[in-house]
């Protein structure tokens, strides 16, 4: 099983009685094995792609395989492995780009330089259709997710939370057993810890999070076992 892979199974309730539910499928992309996630409403099959860092053809193949109607791109932050494929995918499918927070403008502007530095294909900067802020919501089909601004790894990092299914798409804020790096420009370690404690933990120990890299975990597990944030 690929790291970060997840498909939620629906119940066997007859279709006309079944409540809408957010589904997701996570596909590691690029040499950095970044967890790009497809999220969709199972009533409409309308979908958003979270962090298309690259390997656009692979993402498109998964969209077709799952029978999804791709409607939007959602960005947690603008590092190359998370945002490198955004311009290409948006242009090919006329998709709105939602997020991140304005604090990552300089990372968006520097995407070509980031690509050259880390050996990625060329990536053009983009202009988000909509910037995101703490307390915003995003909607796909009949499903709505909450947005939390979680700076520290980057100043404009956001997280997408679906309380209906106890899932959070956290980008590079938190990992199973680790936390995001803060040694990049405008990274801030204390700010990252504050984001985790003040904005992730209140989502509940039961919440499963999909990180930007590696396997899923729960906030409860990380509060107990993650050496960087245990006891917080």
């Amino acid at each position: 099983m690929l790291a970060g892979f997840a498909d939620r199974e629906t119940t066997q309730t007859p279709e006309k009685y079944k409540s809408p539910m957010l589904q997701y499928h996570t596909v590691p992309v690029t040499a950095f094995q970044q967890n790009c996630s497809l999220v969709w409403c199972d009533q409409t099959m309308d979908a958003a792609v979270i962090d298309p860092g690259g390997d656009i053809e692979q993402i498109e193949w998964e969209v077709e395989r799952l029978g999804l109607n791709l409607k939007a791109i959602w960005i947690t932050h603008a590092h190359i492995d998370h945002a490198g494929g955004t311009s290409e995918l948006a242009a090919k499918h006329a998709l709105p780009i939602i997020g991140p927070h304005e604090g990552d403008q300089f990372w968006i502007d520097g995407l070509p330089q980031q690509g050259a530095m880390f050996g990625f294909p060329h990536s053009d900067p983009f202009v988000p259709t909509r910037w995101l802020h703490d307390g915003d919501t995003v909607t796909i089909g009949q499903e709505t997710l909450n947005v939390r601004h979680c700076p520290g790894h980057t100043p404009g990092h956001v997280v997408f939370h679906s309380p209906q299914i106890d899932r959070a798409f956290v980008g590079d804020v938190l990992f199973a057993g680790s936390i995001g790096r803060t040694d990049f420009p405008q990274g801030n370690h204390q700010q990252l810890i504050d984001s985790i404690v003040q904005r992730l933990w209140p989502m509940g120990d039961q919440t499963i999070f999909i990180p930007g890299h590696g396997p899923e975990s729960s906030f409860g597990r990380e509060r107990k076992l993650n050496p960087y944030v245990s006891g917080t």
Side-chain angles (χ1 to χ4, degrees), residues 164-212:
Q164 301 93 324
I165 62 168
D166 287 324
R167 293 295 187 276
F169 300 85
V170 304
D172 286 356
V173 173
L174 181 69
F175 303 107
S178 188
I179 59 175
R181 291 176 59 174
T182 56
D183 56 341
F184 293 121
Q186 296 191 33
N188 185 302
H189 178 79
Q190 188 56 54
Q191 198 174 43
L192 181 66
I193 298 299
D194 290 344
S195 290
I196 293 169
V197 173
Q198 297 171 12
R199 295 184 173 168
L200 297 190
W201 290 169
M203 296 177 190
D205 286 352
Q206 78 286 352
T207 298
I208 303 296
F209 68 92
I210 297 85

Side-chain angles (χ1 to χ4, degrees), residues 21-35:
M21 182 179 291
L22 187 77
Q23 309 285 337
Y24 68 102
H25 172 61
T26 298
V27 186
V29 297
T30 82
F32 286 19
Q33 289 292 278
Q34 189 274 125
N35 288 332

Side-chain angles (χ1 to χ4, degrees), residues 60-103:
E60 292 172 325
W61 185 87
E62 293 288 354
V63 168
E64 183 175 355
R65 181 182 71 83
L66 294 166
L68 305 179
N69 310 311
L70 193 56
K71 297 292 187 179
I73 298 171
W74 298 348
I75 303 294
T76 65
H77 67 293
H79 282 165
I80 186 69
D81 55 325
H82 289 256
T86 303
S87 290
E88 178 184 351
L89 189 63
K92 286 181 69 174
H93 299 279
L95 300 173
I97 302 169
I98 312 300
H101 180 280
E102 291 100 326

Side-chain angles (χ1 to χ4, degrees), residues 1 6 38-39 43 52 62 104 137 165:
M1 180 177 292
L38 293 166
V39 297
Q43 297 293 289
E62 293 288 354
D104 272 15
T137 60
I165 62 168

